Amino acid sequence: MDIDALRAQTPGCAGRIHLNNAGAALLAQPTLDAMTAQLRREAEIGGYEAGAEAAGAIAATYAGLAELTGGRSEEIALFDNATHAWNAAFYSIPLRPGDQILTGRAEYGSNVLAYWQAARRTGAEVIVVPNDEHGNWMWPSWSG
């Protein structure tokens, strides 16, 4: 991976080192160009029409991702950000009374809120797994 080339493709990297990639990564120029072109096309002919024009490219993206992951196009889900994707995955788990949701002391705040909400709604239990002296999870003896 050529880090210098990747930084050169990302305009926001020109004058800074940006470390908040989990929450708000800087967009690379090809991404900015694709988004701007789609918005411009929507302004010219309308959102539904521009979406229909892009349908082939979108389908090809899903097909390429399916090939890359060894799945099928209909098994691929794309989201606008990682939090929305995580929420969709987590809330799709059919939790029941007696189920346990394991988390660590340094869990992302919105994930913890989702755990508590799901536990209250379903009767599942949230268990905070303790850390060892190095900050690593100390797995319970029953975890294998």
Side-chain angles (χ1 to χ4, degrees):
M1 185 178 301
D2 185 344
I3 300 299
D4 290 332
L6 293 171
R7 287 183 60 79
Q9 290 181 3
T10 308
C13 288
R16 72 188 50 80
I17 295 173
H18 188 265
L19 300 176
N20 187 19
N21 292 327
L26 300 174
L27 296 177
Q29 193 62 51
T31 303
L32 289 169
D33 292 344
M35 292 171 69
T36 303
Q38 184 63 28
L39 287 172
R40 186 173 293 112
R41 193 63 179 146
E42 288 180 13
E44 293 168 352
I45 65 172
Y48 292 121
E49 294 80 0
E53 278 186 359
I58 293 168
T61 298
Y62 278 84
L65 289 169
E67 182 179 346
L68 179 67
T69 61
R72 297 187 318 266
S73 294
E74 60 270 16
E75 296 172 321
I76 301 296
L78 299 177
F79 287 84
D80 59 328
N81 64 55
T83 298
H84 288 157
W86 186 92
N87 281 325
F90 176 73
Y91 283 111
S92 72
I93 299 169
L95 296 169
R96 299 179 310 268
D99 286 344
Q100 297 177 328
I101 303 167
L102 301 179
T103 187
R105 292 183 61 208
E107 180 63 84
Y108 188 58
S110 67
N111 293 358
V112 174
L113 294 175
Y115 300 154
W116 287 341
Q117 188 275 333
R120 173 185 264 167
R121 182 176 42 81
T122 66
E125 177 185 11
V126 177
I127 297 174
V128 179
V129 177
N131 293 351
D132 65 15
E133 68 275 9
H134 305 289
N136 298 316
W137 282 21
M138 292 176 39
W139 290 101
S141 59
W142 46 259
S143 69

